[in-house]
Amino acid sequence: MRHFYPLILQPKPENAITIAVSSRVLFNMEKEQQIYEQQGMEEYIKYQVEHEAEPFSPGPAFSFVKALEAVNTQLRELYPESEELFDVVLMTNNHQNESHDQRLINTIKHHKLFIERFCMTGGNSPIGFLKAYHTNLYLSADPVKVQEALEEGIAAATMFTLEKMKEVSETQLCVVFDGDAVLFSDESERVFKAHGLDKFLEHEDEHKNQPLNHGPLKGFLEALRKLQKKFYSKGRRMDCPILTYLVTARNAGSSGFRALKTLQSWDLETDKALFLAGAPKGPMLEKIRPHIFFDDNKSHVKQAVELGVVACHVPYGIA
């Protein structure tokens, strides 16, 4: 595939923070997907040929990817030789097809995105490719593939199309994590589901000094923290272009203490932590306006999407 920006070399996958993004979440391909599912491959190809010059509109992952590029620009200014950058891989389920490829390339150029790695799986499982790219995060519209990736130990989440998205920062990447079954394991959530709130609070109080086990997205937070520290070492702690939140239904008592204790035991932290004690997350997310929000609870994800917040479902553990 030809280079759009020949003066900027791509980092090696083992040195980069690799974000694998499905073409269906980077761009709005709802109509094309319907044609493929309802009319078959030949009609799909015919449609792509007829619309080759028409770029796809942005999908739910678009602003997130643009924010990654904004962080990369600032990292390159501080560390011109470093390969510790975000590297986006565009994943598509299609076989290699000239009309489809050209439309994707035209769209990337139209939106001035810096994406040079394409992975066309031809309908096969993406797992082998994700492992080869040392993927730190996989975003897809296909919950089956997301589940498969999580089972293989790859951080992954299902994204959903929004009718209208809230405006987000173009210069600072903002990522919001839920706690249980996202950053942490689902061990405490299992207690809550099985025995209710009182037993959950009792359990957390008894184990408040015992760190939780890690959840599926702990590694992604570690990767973000690693890049944050690169900005800190250049005197940019106060205006770091990466901002992280923990937004959890836990309260600020023993259960919240255990969450913070867990992060501390991992030598990790988020920039901000909000303990909502069971209150709805939607209004707070609407105020934060993150580029991406991860939660294992579908109701929280649905509420966020309805408010125009890019939200991802992490189907992990009992979720």
Side-chain angles (χ1 to χ4, degrees):
M1 181 178 171
R2 58 184 166 181
H3 293 281
F4 303 143
Y5 300 88
L7 296 180
I8 302 177
L9 298 177
Q10 291 290 90
K12 297 182 180 67
E14 60 268 27
N15 297 333
I17 296 173
T18 301
I19 312 296
V21 182
S22 162
S23 57
R24 284 175 55 198
V25 296
L26 182 58
F27 303 121
N28 187 335
M29 302 176 67
E30 297 268 312
K31 184 173 183 178
E32 289 75 11
Q33 186 66 18
Q34 287 179 358
I35 293 172
Y36 176 76
E37 292 175 352
Q38 297 172 9
Q39 301 178 43
M41 177 63 78
E42 293 306 316
E43 287 300 314
Y44 171 83
I45 293 174
K46 179 182 176 182
Y47 182 87
Q48 294 287 42
V49 170
E50 293 172 351
H51 296 80
E52 182 180 291
E54 180 184 324
F56 295 109
S57 60
F62 186 86
S63 61
F64 174 63
V65 169
K66 290 292 285 184
L68 299 181
E69 293 186 353
V71 173
N72 275 355
T73 297
Q74 297 177 66
L75 279 168
R76 286 191 175 102
E77 291 172 354
L78 298 175
Y79 301 93
E81 305 300 321
S82 177
E83 290 193 338
E84 292 182 331
L85 303 162
F86 291 112
D87 188 19
V88 177
V89 178
L90 185 63
M91 307 287 291
T92 174
N93 194 43
N94 296 87
H95 294 78
Q96 185 174 358
N97 177 275
E98 185 175 343
S99 60
H100 180 265
D101 298 352
Q102 191 58 52
R103 192 176 180 196
L104 282 175
I105 291 170
N106 290 344
T107 301
I108 288 170
K109 293 176 71 175
H110 172 80
H111 292 295
K112 296 180 172 60
L113 294 172
F114 182 67
I115 298 176
E116 293 199 329
R117 299 197 202 277
F118 273 37
C119 182
M120 300 171 189
T121 64
N124 297 319
S125 168
I127 298 301
F129 303 104
L130 296 174
K131 289 183 176 180
Y133 280 115
H134 301 270
T135 300
N136 296 90
L137 178 66
Y138 172 50
L139 300 173
S140 173
D142 188 334
V144 175
K145 291 180 180 177
V146 166
Q147 184 69 61
E148 185 182 3
L150 287 169
E151 290 172 357
E152 291 292 326
I154 299 168
T158 308
M159 298 195 86
F160 302 90
T161 301
L162 292 80
E163 290 188 11
K164 187 176 182 181
M165 194 177 76
K166 293 286 184 184
E167 289 186 7
V168 292
S169 172
E170 296 182 357
T171 57
Q172 184 180 53
L173 170 68
C174 181
V175 181
V176 175
F177 298 92
D178 177 35
D180 295 286
V182 175
L183 287 180
F184 316 130
S185 72
D186 68 337
E187 59 196 82
S188 295
E189 195 157 313
R190 288 179 180 274
V191 175
F192 174 74
K193 293 289 186 181
H195 305 291
L197 179 60
D198 289 341
K199 284 292 184 183
F200 166 79
L201 294 174
E202 181 181 323
H203 176 269
E204 293 306 289
D205 189 53
E206 291 175 356
H207 297 83
K208 62 184 177 183
N209 290 310
Q210 179 183 336
L212 292 150
N213 291 317
H214 71 82
L217 266 65
K218 176 202 172 193
F220 182 51
L221 177 59
E222 286 178 327
L224 294 177
R225 190 66 180 159
K226 182 179 180 181
L227 292 188
Q228 282 183 315
K229 288 181 177 179
K230 291 174 73 70
F231 286 101
Y232 297 170
S233 66
K234 294 290 188 177
R236 293 196 53 187
R237 177 177 289 272
M238 299 306 296
D239 67 337
C240 180
I242 302 174
L243 180 65
T244 59
Y245 281 79
L246 170 65
V247 176
T248 173
R250 288 172 174 258
N251 61 32
S254 297
S255 65
F257 176 82
R258 191 180 186 199
L260 295 179
K261 188 80 172 178
T262 298
L263 291 174
Q264 185 181 39
S265 74
W266 297 340
D267 192 28
L268 283 176
E269 64 181 50
T270 55
D271 296 296
K272 301 179 188 295
L274 304 179
F275 300 99
L276 302 183
K281 295 182 179 180
M284 193 61 67
L285 293 168
E286 190 176 22
K287 181 175 178 61
I288 295 171
R289 297 195 177 193
H291 291 87
I292 197 165
F293 161 58
F294 299 98
D295 204 299
D296 69 305
N297 189 315
K298 283 187 176 180
S299 65
H300 293 317
V301 172
K302 181 181 178 181
Q303 184 184 52
V305 169
E306 289 173 349
L307 292 171
V309 175
V310 175
C312 303
H313 180 235
V314 182
Y316 177 76
I318 60 173

